[in-house]
Short mmCIF file of all heavy atoms in Angstrom, two decimals:
data_model
loop_
_atom_site.label_atom_id
_atom_site.label_comp_id
_atom_site.label_asym_id
_atom_site.label_seq_id
_atom_site.Cartn_x
_atom_site.Cartn_y
_atom_site.Cartn_z
N LEU R 1 24.93 22.07 16.68
CA LEU R 1 23.51 22.29 16.91
C LEU R 1 23.27 23.52 17.77
O LEU R 1 23.93 23.71 18.79
CB LEU R 1 22.89 21.07 17.62
CG LEU R 1 22.99 19.74 16.92
CD1 LEU R 1 22.43 18.65 17.79
CD2 LEU R 1 22.27 19.78 15.59
N GLU R 2 22.35 24.34 17.36
CA GLU R 2 21.85 25.43 18.19
C GLU R 2 20.53 24.92 18.73
O GLU R 2 19.59 24.66 17.96
CB GLU R 2 21.64 26.70 17.37
CG GLU R 2 20.95 27.79 18.15
CD GLU R 2 20.54 28.96 17.27
OE1 GLU R 2 21.07 29.11 16.15
OE2 GLU R 2 19.65 29.70 17.69
N VAL R 3 20.44 24.71 20.03
CA VAL R 3 19.25 24.09 20.61
C VAL R 3 18.32 25.17 21.15
O VAL R 3 18.71 25.98 21.98
CB VAL R 3 19.65 23.11 21.74
CG1 VAL R 3 18.42 22.47 22.34
CG2 VAL R 3 20.60 22.06 21.21
N ARG R 4 17.08 25.17 20.65
CA ARG R 4 16.05 26.06 21.19
C ARG R 4 14.74 25.28 21.17
O ARG R 4 14.43 24.58 20.20
CB ARG R 4 15.95 27.36 20.41
CG ARG R 4 15.72 27.23 18.95
CD ARG R 4 15.93 28.57 18.24
NE ARG R 4 16.45 28.33 16.93
CZ ARG R 4 15.71 28.26 15.82
NH1 ARG R 4 14.43 28.47 15.87
NH2 ARG R 4 16.27 28.01 14.67
N ASN R 5 14.02 25.36 22.24
CA ASN R 5 12.76 24.65 22.34
C ASN R 5 11.72 25.40 21.52
O ASN R 5 11.45 26.56 21.77
CB ASN R 5 12.33 24.55 23.80
CG ASN R 5 11.15 23.62 23.99
OD1 ASN R 5 10.64 23.07 23.03
ND2 ASN R 5 10.73 23.46 25.21
N ASP R 6 11.18 24.74 20.52
CA ASP R 6 10.21 25.36 19.63
C ASP R 6 8.92 24.56 19.67
O ASP R 6 8.82 23.49 19.06
CB ASP R 6 10.77 25.41 18.20
CG ASP R 6 9.91 26.22 17.26
OD1 ASP R 6 8.75 26.52 17.62
OD2 ASP R 6 10.40 26.56 16.17
N PRO R 7 7.91 25.04 20.38
CA PRO R 7 6.66 24.28 20.51
C PRO R 7 5.87 24.16 19.21
O PRO R 7 4.94 23.37 19.13
CB PRO R 7 5.87 25.07 21.56
CG PRO R 7 6.44 26.43 21.53
CD PRO R 7 7.88 26.29 21.10
N THR R 8 6.24 24.91 18.18
CA THR R 8 5.50 24.82 16.92
C THR R 8 5.96 23.64 16.06
O THR R 8 5.32 23.30 15.08
CB THR R 8 5.65 26.12 16.10
OG1 THR R 8 7.03 26.28 15.75
CG2 THR R 8 5.17 27.31 16.88
N ILE R 9 7.09 23.03 16.42
CA ILE R 9 7.62 21.90 15.65
C ILE R 9 6.81 20.65 15.99
O ILE R 9 6.63 20.31 17.15
CB ILE R 9 9.11 21.68 15.94
CG1 ILE R 9 9.93 22.90 15.51
CG2 ILE R 9 9.60 20.42 15.24
CD1 ILE R 9 11.38 22.82 15.88
N GLN R 10 6.33 19.99 14.96
CA GLN R 10 5.57 18.76 15.13
C GLN R 10 6.47 17.57 14.83
O GLN R 10 6.71 17.25 13.68
CB GLN R 10 4.35 18.75 14.18
CG GLN R 10 3.40 19.90 14.40
CD GLN R 10 2.68 19.80 15.73
OE1 GLN R 10 2.35 18.72 16.19
NE2 GLN R 10 2.46 20.93 16.36
N VAL R 11 7.01 16.94 15.86
CA VAL R 11 7.85 15.76 15.68
C VAL R 11 7.28 14.63 16.54
O VAL R 11 6.56 14.88 17.48
CB VAL R 11 9.31 15.99 16.12
CG1 VAL R 11 10.28 15.75 15.04
CG2 VAL R 11 9.52 17.28 16.80
N GLY R 12 7.64 13.44 16.20
CA GLY R 12 7.20 12.32 17.01
C GLY R 12 6.36 11.35 16.20
O GLY R 12 6.48 11.26 14.99
N LYS R 13 5.51 10.66 16.90
CA LYS R 13 4.69 9.63 16.26
C LYS R 13 3.68 10.27 15.32
O LYS R 13 3.08 11.29 15.63
CB LYS R 13 3.95 8.81 17.31
CG LYS R 13 4.87 8.12 18.28
CD LYS R 13 5.64 7.03 17.60
CE LYS R 13 6.55 6.34 18.59
NZ LYS R 13 7.50 5.47 18.03
N ARG R 14 3.50 9.63 14.17
CA ARG R 14 2.52 10.12 13.19
C ARG R 14 1.24 9.34 13.33
O ARG R 14 1.22 8.22 13.82
CB ARG R 14 3.06 9.94 11.78
CG ARG R 14 4.25 10.79 11.49
CD ARG R 14 4.69 10.61 10.06
NE ARG R 14 5.82 11.47 9.79
CZ ARG R 14 6.68 11.27 8.83
NH1 ARG R 14 6.56 10.23 8.05
NH2 ARG R 14 7.69 12.09 8.65
N GLU R 15 0.17 9.93 12.88
CA GLU R 15 -1.12 9.24 12.83
C GLU R 15 -1.00 8.07 11.87
O GLU R 15 -0.36 8.19 10.83
CB GLU R 15 -2.22 10.20 12.34
CG GLU R 15 -2.54 11.33 13.29
CD GLU R 15 -3.34 10.87 14.47
OE1 GLU R 15 -4.18 9.95 14.31
OE2 GLU R 15 -3.12 11.40 15.56
N PRO R 16 -1.60 6.94 12.18
CA PRO R 16 -1.55 5.83 11.22
C PRO R 16 -2.30 6.20 9.94
O PRO R 16 -3.25 6.98 9.97
CB PRO R 16 -2.25 4.68 11.95
CG PRO R 16 -2.89 5.27 13.15
CD PRO R 16 -2.31 6.62 13.39
N LEU R 17 -1.83 5.64 8.84
CA LEU R 17 -2.47 5.90 7.56
C LEU R 17 -3.85 5.26 7.53
O LEU R 17 -4.04 4.16 8.04
CB LEU R 17 -1.63 5.34 6.41
CG LEU R 17 -0.26 5.98 6.22
CD1 LEU R 17 0.50 5.25 5.12
CD2 LEU R 17 -0.39 7.44 5.88
N ASN R 18 -4.80 5.95 6.96
CA ASN R 18 -6.15 5.43 6.84
C ASN R 18 -6.31 4.87 5.43
O ASN R 18 -6.77 5.54 4.53
CB ASN R 18 -7.17 6.53 7.12
CG ASN R 18 -8.58 6.00 7.13
OD1 ASN R 18 -8.79 4.79 7.15
ND2 ASN R 18 -9.54 6.89 7.10
N ILE R 19 -5.88 3.61 5.26
CA ILE R 19 -5.93 2.98 3.95
C ILE R 19 -7.17 2.10 3.90
O ILE R 19 -7.35 1.23 4.76
CB ILE R 19 -4.67 2.14 3.71
CG1 ILE R 19 -3.44 3.06 3.77
CG2 ILE R 19 -4.75 1.41 2.39
CD1 ILE R 19 -2.13 2.34 3.69
N PRO R 20 -8.04 2.30 2.92
CA PRO R 20 -9.25 1.49 2.85
C PRO R 20 -8.91 0.01 2.58
O PRO R 20 -7.96 -0.30 1.88
CB PRO R 20 -10.04 2.09 1.69
CG PRO R 20 -9.07 2.89 0.92
CD PRO R 20 -7.95 3.27 1.84
N VAL R 21 -9.68 -0.86 3.18
CA VAL R 21 -9.50 -2.30 3.01
C VAL R 21 -10.65 -2.81 2.16
O VAL R 21 -11.81 -2.52 2.43
CB VAL R 21 -9.48 -3.02 4.37
CG1 VAL R 21 -9.38 -4.52 4.19
CG2 VAL R 21 -8.35 -2.49 5.23
N ILE R 22 -10.32 -3.56 1.14
CA ILE R 22 -11.34 -4.14 0.27
C ILE R 22 -11.43 -5.62 0.58
O ILE R 22 -10.45 -6.35 0.49
CB ILE R 22 -10.97 -3.93 -1.22
CG1 ILE R 22 -10.86 -2.44 -1.53
CG2 ILE R 22 -11.99 -4.61 -2.12
CD1 ILE R 22 -10.32 -2.14 -2.91
N GLU R 23 -12.60 -6.04 1.01
CA GLU R 23 -12.81 -7.45 1.32
C GLU R 23 -13.25 -8.17 0.05
O GLU R 23 -14.14 -7.72 -0.66
CB GLU R 23 -13.91 -7.60 2.39
CG GLU R 23 -13.55 -6.95 3.71
CD GLU R 23 -12.48 -7.70 4.47
OE1 GLU R 23 -12.30 -8.91 4.23
OE2 GLU R 23 -11.81 -7.06 5.30
N VAL R 24 -12.58 -9.26 -0.25
CA VAL R 24 -12.94 -10.06 -1.42
C VAL R 24 -13.07 -11.52 -0.99
O VAL R 24 -12.49 -11.95 -0.01
CB VAL R 24 -11.90 -9.95 -2.56
CG1 VAL R 24 -11.84 -8.55 -3.12
CG2 VAL R 24 -10.53 -10.39 -2.10
N ASP R 25 -13.84 -12.26 -1.77
CA ASP R 25 -13.94 -13.70 -1.52
C ASP R 25 -12.73 -14.39 -2.13
O ASP R 25 -11.81 -13.75 -2.61
CB ASP R 25 -15.23 -14.25 -2.15
CG ASP R 25 -16.47 -13.73 -1.41
OD1 ASP R 25 -16.37 -13.50 -0.19
OD2 ASP R 25 -17.52 -13.56 -2.06
N TYR R 26 -12.77 -15.70 -2.16
CA TYR R 26 -11.68 -16.46 -2.75
C TYR R 26 -11.63 -16.23 -4.26
O TYR R 26 -12.64 -15.97 -4.89
CB TYR R 26 -11.88 -17.95 -2.47
CG TYR R 26 -11.77 -18.27 -1.01
CD1 TYR R 26 -12.91 -18.48 -0.24
CD2 TYR R 26 -10.53 -18.35 -0.40
CE1 TYR R 26 -12.80 -18.76 1.10
CE2 TYR R 26 -10.43 -18.64 0.95
CZ TYR R 26 -11.56 -18.84 1.70
OH TYR R 26 -11.46 -19.11 3.02
N TRP R 27 -10.43 -16.35 -4.83
CA TRP R 27 -10.28 -16.26 -6.27
C TRP R 27 -10.95 -17.48 -6.91
O TRP R 27 -10.89 -18.58 -6.35
CB TRP R 27 -8.81 -16.26 -6.68
CG TRP R 27 -8.05 -15.04 -6.24
CD1 TRP R 27 -7.12 -14.99 -5.27
CD2 TRP R 27 -8.17 -13.72 -6.74
NE1 TRP R 27 -6.63 -13.72 -5.13
CE2 TRP R 27 -7.27 -12.91 -6.04
CE3 TRP R 27 -8.96 -13.13 -7.73
CZ2 TRP R 27 -7.12 -11.56 -6.28
CZ3 TRP R 27 -8.80 -11.76 -7.98
CH2 TRP R 27 -7.90 -11.00 -7.25
N PRO R 28 -11.56 -17.32 -8.07
CA PRO R 28 -12.09 -18.49 -8.76
C PRO R 28 -10.95 -19.45 -9.12
O PRO R 28 -9.82 -19.02 -9.36
CB PRO R 28 -12.71 -17.92 -10.04
CG PRO R 28 -12.75 -16.45 -9.86
CD PRO R 28 -11.79 -16.08 -8.79
N GLU R 29 -11.23 -20.74 -9.12
CA GLU R 29 -10.18 -21.72 -9.42
C GLU R 29 -9.62 -21.54 -10.82
O GLU R 29 -8.47 -21.88 -11.09
CB GLU R 29 -10.71 -23.13 -9.23
CG GLU R 29 -10.88 -23.47 -7.77
CD GLU R 29 -11.00 -24.96 -7.54
OE1 GLU R 29 -10.42 -25.73 -8.32
OE2 GLU R 29 -11.67 -25.31 -6.57
N SER R 30 -10.41 -20.99 -11.74
CA SER R 30 -9.94 -20.80 -13.11
C SER R 30 -9.08 -19.53 -13.27
O SER R 30 -8.54 -19.29 -14.33
CB SER R 30 -11.14 -20.72 -14.06
OG SER R 30 -11.94 -19.60 -13.71
N PHE R 31 -8.95 -18.72 -12.20
CA PHE R 31 -8.18 -17.48 -12.28
C PHE R 31 -6.70 -17.79 -12.32
O PHE R 31 -6.18 -18.57 -11.53
CB PHE R 31 -8.50 -16.59 -11.07
CG PHE R 31 -7.81 -15.26 -11.12
CD1 PHE R 31 -8.26 -14.25 -11.94
CD2 PHE R 31 -6.68 -15.02 -10.35
CE1 PHE R 31 -7.62 -13.03 -11.99
CE2 PHE R 31 -6.03 -13.81 -10.38
CZ PHE R 31 -6.51 -12.81 -11.21
N SER R 32 -5.99 -17.17 -13.26
CA SER R 32 -4.56 -17.42 -13.42
C SER R 32 -3.80 -16.10 -13.34
O SER R 32 -4.24 -15.08 -13.85
CB SER R 32 -4.29 -18.06 -14.78
OG SER R 32 -2.90 -18.13 -15.01
N THR R 33 -2.66 -16.15 -12.67
CA THR R 33 -1.80 -14.96 -12.61
C THR R 33 -0.52 -15.18 -13.41
O THR R 33 0.44 -14.44 -13.22
CB THR R 33 -1.44 -14.63 -11.15
OG1 THR R 33 -0.82 -15.77 -10.54
CG2 THR R 33 -2.67 -14.24 -10.36
N ARG R 34 -0.53 -16.14 -14.29
CA ARG R 34 0.62 -16.35 -15.15
C ARG R 34 0.78 -15.15 -16.08
O ARG R 34 -0.19 -14.59 -16.56
CB ARG R 34 0.44 -17.61 -16.00
CG ARG R 34 0.48 -18.88 -15.20
CD ARG R 34 0.34 -20.08 -16.10
NE ARG R 34 1.00 -19.81 -17.38
CZ ARG R 34 0.81 -20.52 -18.46
NH1 ARG R 34 -0.03 -21.54 -18.46
NH2 ARG R 34 1.43 -20.23 -19.57
N ARG R 35 2.01 -14.76 -16.31
CA ARG R 35 2.28 -13.61 -17.17
C ARG R 35 1.64 -13.78 -18.54
O ARG R 35 1.06 -12.86 -19.10
CB ARG R 35 3.79 -13.42 -17.31
CG ARG R 35 4.18 -12.24 -18.17
CD ARG R 35 5.69 -12.05 -18.17
NE ARG R 35 6.03 -10.80 -18.77
CZ ARG R 35 6.03 -9.62 -18.18
NH1 ARG R 35 5.68 -9.54 -16.94
NH2 ARG R 35 6.37 -8.53 -18.83
N GLU R 36 1.72 -14.97 -19.08
CA GLU R 36 1.16 -15.25 -20.39
C GLU R 36 -0.36 -15.05 -20.41
O GLU R 36 -0.93 -14.68 -21.42
CB GLU R 36 1.50 -16.68 -20.84
CG GLU R 36 2.97 -16.93 -21.05
CD GLU R 36 3.72 -17.23 -19.75
OE1 GLU R 36 3.07 -17.40 -18.69
OE2 GLU R 36 4.95 -17.27 -19.78
N ASP R 37 -0.99 -15.30 -19.28
CA ASP R 37 -2.46 -15.15 -19.20
C ASP R 37 -2.85 -13.70 -18.92
O ASP R 37 -3.95 -13.27 -19.28
CB ASP R 37 -3.03 -16.05 -18.12
CG ASP R 37 -2.83 -17.52 -18.45
OD1 ASP R 37 -2.67 -17.84 -19.65
OD2 ASP R 37 -2.82 -18.34 -17.51
N LEU R 38 -1.98 -12.95 -18.26
CA LEU R 38 -2.32 -11.56 -17.91
C LEU R 38 -2.09 -10.59 -19.07
O LEU R 38 -2.80 -9.60 -19.20
CB LEU R 38 -1.49 -11.09 -16.71
CG LEU R 38 -1.80 -11.77 -15.39
CD1 LEU R 38 -0.79 -11.32 -14.33
CD2 LEU R 38 -3.19 -11.43 -14.92
N TYR R 39 -1.05 -10.86 -19.89
CA TYR R 39 -0.68 -9.94 -20.94
C TYR R 39 -0.92 -10.55 -22.31
O TYR R 39 -0.90 -11.76 -22.47
CB TYR R 39 0.79 -9.54 -20.81
CG TYR R 39 1.10 -8.86 -19.49
CD1 TYR R 39 1.67 -9.56 -18.44
CD2 TYR R 39 0.79 -7.54 -19.29
CE1 TYR R 39 1.94 -8.94 -17.23
CE2 TYR R 39 1.04 -6.89 -18.10
CZ TYR R 39 1.61 -7.61 -17.07
OH TYR R 39 1.86 -7.00 -15.88
N GLY R 40 -1.10 -9.69 -23.28
CA GLY R 40 -1.31 -10.16 -24.65
C GLY R 40 -0.02 -10.61 -25.30
O GLY R 40 1.04 -10.67 -24.67
N ASP R 41 -0.11 -10.88 -26.59
CA ASP R 41 1.05 -11.37 -27.32
C ASP R 41 2.18 -10.34 -27.40
O ASP R 41 3.34 -10.69 -27.57
CB ASP R 41 0.65 -11.79 -28.74
CG ASP R 41 -0.25 -13.02 -28.72
OD1 ASP R 41 -0.16 -13.81 -27.75
OD2 ASP R 41 -1.04 -13.17 -29.66
N ASP R 42 1.83 -9.04 -27.29
CA ASP R 42 2.88 -8.01 -27.38
C ASP R 42 3.53 -7.74 -26.03
O ASP R 42 4.35 -6.84 -25.90
CB ASP R 42 2.30 -6.71 -27.97
CG ASP R 42 1.21 -6.11 -27.10
OD1 ASP R 42 0.80 -6.75 -26.11
OD2 ASP R 42 0.76 -5.01 -27.43
N GLY R 43 3.16 -8.50 -25.01
CA GLY R 43 3.80 -8.35 -23.70
C GLY R 43 3.20 -7.25 -22.85
O GLY R 43 3.74 -6.89 -21.82
#
């Protein structure tokens, strides 16, 4: 290593990601996540 202090280097903690949150109510009781219900006959 050649050590030189470089103030232009940005290292360290990153800003947290700003990911939007979508609020939803409960799933309807008739909602199914079974593969057969999500996809058609061709898969």
